[in-house]
Amino acid sequence: MACTFFFEPETVSQEPGQRHAPPLDLHACALCAKPLARNSDIFMYMGDTPFCSDDCRYEQINHDAALARQQASSRRKQQQQAQAQAQRSAREAPAPAPVSAAAVSAKANVSVAS
Protein backbone atom coordinates (compact mmCIF):
# COMPACT_ATOMS: atom_id res chain seq x y z
CA MET A 1 0.00 0.00 0.00
CA ALA A 2 1.34 3.42 -0.94
CA CYS A 3 2.07 5.92 1.77
CA THR A 4 -0.21 8.93 1.86
CA PHE A 5 2.68 11.37 2.30
CA PHE A 6 3.59 10.73 -1.36
CA PHE A 7 0.23 12.08 -2.43
CA GLU A 8 -0.05 15.00 -0.01
CA PRO A 9 3.36 16.68 0.01
CA GLU A 10 4.10 19.42 2.50
CA THR A 11 6.12 22.44 1.59
CA VAL A 12 9.26 22.47 3.67
CA SER A 13 11.02 25.68 4.60
CA GLN A 14 14.71 25.50 3.70
CA GLU A 15 16.03 28.67 5.34
CA PRO A 16 14.33 31.73 6.77
CA GLY A 17 13.56 34.16 3.97
CA GLN A 18 13.80 31.53 1.21
CA ARG A 19 10.96 30.08 -0.81
CA HIS A 20 9.37 26.78 0.08
CA ALA A 21 10.40 23.69 -1.84
CA PRO A 22 7.98 22.90 -4.68
CA PRO A 23 5.59 20.03 -4.00
CA LEU A 24 6.30 16.79 -5.84
CA ASP A 25 3.91 15.81 -8.62
CA LEU A 26 3.24 12.15 -7.87
CA HIS A 27 -0.10 11.78 -9.61
CA ALA A 28 1.12 10.23 -12.89
CA CYS A 29 3.92 8.06 -14.23
CA ALA A 30 6.79 10.20 -15.55
CA LEU A 31 7.18 7.97 -18.61
CA CYS A 32 3.75 6.80 -19.75
CA ALA A 33 1.61 9.37 -17.85
CA LYS A 34 -0.58 6.62 -16.41
CA PRO A 35 -2.36 7.91 -13.29
CA LEU A 36 -0.92 6.59 -10.04
CA ALA A 37 -3.56 5.15 -7.74
CA ARG A 38 -3.44 5.66 -3.98
CA ASN A 39 -3.39 1.93 -3.32
CA SER A 40 -0.72 1.00 -5.90
CA ASP A 41 3.05 0.80 -5.64
CA ILE A 42 5.10 3.74 -6.84
CA PHE A 43 8.54 3.11 -8.28
CA MET A 44 10.88 6.05 -7.70
CA TYR A 45 13.97 7.05 -9.67
CA MET A 46 16.46 9.88 -9.18
CA GLY A 47 14.90 10.85 -5.88
CA ASP A 48 11.60 12.34 -6.94
CA THR A 49 10.54 10.87 -10.29
CA PRO A 50 7.58 8.48 -9.97
CA PHE A 51 6.85 5.52 -12.24
CA CYS A 52 3.84 3.20 -12.36
CA SER A 53 5.91 0.03 -12.81
CA ASP A 54 9.40 -1.33 -12.61
CA ASP A 55 9.37 -1.64 -16.42
CA CYS A 56 8.72 2.09 -16.91
CA ARG A 57 11.45 2.97 -14.43
CA TYR A 58 13.88 0.53 -16.10
CA GLU A 59 13.13 2.03 -19.52
CA GLN A 60 13.87 5.54 -18.18
CA ILE A 61 17.12 4.34 -16.59
CA ASN A 62 18.23 2.84 -19.92
CA HIS A 63 17.26 6.02 -21.78
CA ASP A 64 19.27 8.17 -19.34
CA ALA A 65 22.30 5.86 -19.65
CA ALA A 66 22.18 5.99 -23.46
CA LEU A 67 21.90 9.78 -23.36
CA ALA A 68 24.90 10.01 -21.01
CA ARG A 69 26.97 7.78 -23.33
CA GLN A 70 25.99 9.91 -26.33
CA GLN A 71 26.96 13.14 -24.55
CA ALA A 72 30.31 11.66 -23.44
CA SER A 73 31.01 10.55 -27.01
CA SER A 74 30.16 14.00 -28.32
CA ARG A 75 32.49 15.65 -25.78
CA ARG A 76 35.33 13.28 -26.78
CA LYS A 77 34.83 14.12 -30.47
CA GLN A 78 34.90 17.84 -29.72
CA GLN A 79 38.11 17.47 -27.70
CA GLN A 80 39.75 15.42 -30.47
CA GLN A 81 38.74 17.99 -33.09
CA ALA A 82 40.13 20.82 -30.94
CA GLN A 83 43.42 18.95 -30.47
CA ALA A 84 43.69 18.24 -34.21
CA GLN A 85 43.00 21.90 -34.99
CA ALA A 86 45.68 23.00 -32.50
CA GLN A 87 48.19 20.60 -34.07
CA ARG A 88 47.37 21.86 -37.59
CA SER A 89 47.77 25.45 -36.43
CA ALA A 90 51.12 24.65 -34.81
CA ARG A 91 52.40 23.00 -38.04
CA GLU A 92 51.16 25.82 -40.27
CA ALA A 93 52.53 28.66 -38.10
CA PRO A 94 55.63 30.29 -39.61
CA ALA A 95 58.86 29.46 -37.86
CA PRO A 96 60.49 32.37 -36.02
CA ALA A 97 63.26 34.09 -37.96
CA PRO A 98 66.75 33.05 -36.89
CA VAL A 99 68.59 35.65 -34.86
CA SER A 100 72.16 36.39 -35.92
CA ALA A 101 75.00 36.89 -33.45
CA ALA A 102 75.54 40.42 -34.79
CA ALA A 103 71.94 41.37 -33.99
CA VAL A 104 72.26 40.02 -30.46
CA SER A 105 75.55 41.84 -29.86
CA ALA A 106 74.08 45.08 -31.19
CA LYS A 107 71.22 44.92 -28.71
CA ALA A 108 73.54 44.14 -25.82
CA ASN A 109 76.22 46.65 -26.85
CA VAL A 110 78.77 43.85 -26.83
CA SER A 111 81.33 43.23 -29.51
CA VAL A 112 81.53 39.78 -30.96
CA ALA A 113 84.82 38.45 -32.21
CA SER A 114 84.49 36.17 -35.15
Side-chain angles (χ1 to χ4, degrees):
M1 181 170 187
C3 295
T4 59
F5 70 87
F6 281 124
F7 292 95
E8 298 168 6
E10 296 179 13
T11 56
V12 178
S13 169
Q14 296 169 349
E15 291 285 327
Q18 288 188 351
R19 291 182 161 187
H20 294 293
L24 301 177
D25 182 24
L26 300 173
H27 299 290
C29 177
L31 187 67
C32 68
K34 177 181 171 183
L36 300 174
R38 284 186 173 268
N39 60 353
S40 66
D41 289 335
I42 298 174
F43 299 84
M44 302 298 286
Y45 172 60
M46 298 286 287
D48 59 354
T49 309
F51 294 92
C52 63
S53 67
D54 197 30
D55 293 335
C56 280
R57 182 179 64 176
Y58 183 72
E59 188 173 335
Q60 184 66 47
I61 291 169
N62 285 336
H63 174 75
D64 290 349
L67 184 62
R69 285 191 301 271
Q70 182 182 20
Q71 289 173 343
S73 174
S74 176
R75 280 192 301 270
R76 276 194 306 275
K77 281 183 181 179
Q78 288 176 350
Q79 288 173 349
Q80 289 171 350
Q81 288 173 349
Q83 288 174 348
Q85 179 65 31
Q87 289 173 351
R88 279 193 300 272
S89 296
R91 277 186 266 144
E92 295 171 358
V99 178
S100 68
V104 171
S105 64
K107 286 183 182 179
N109 290 328
V110 176
S111 63
V112 176
S114 326

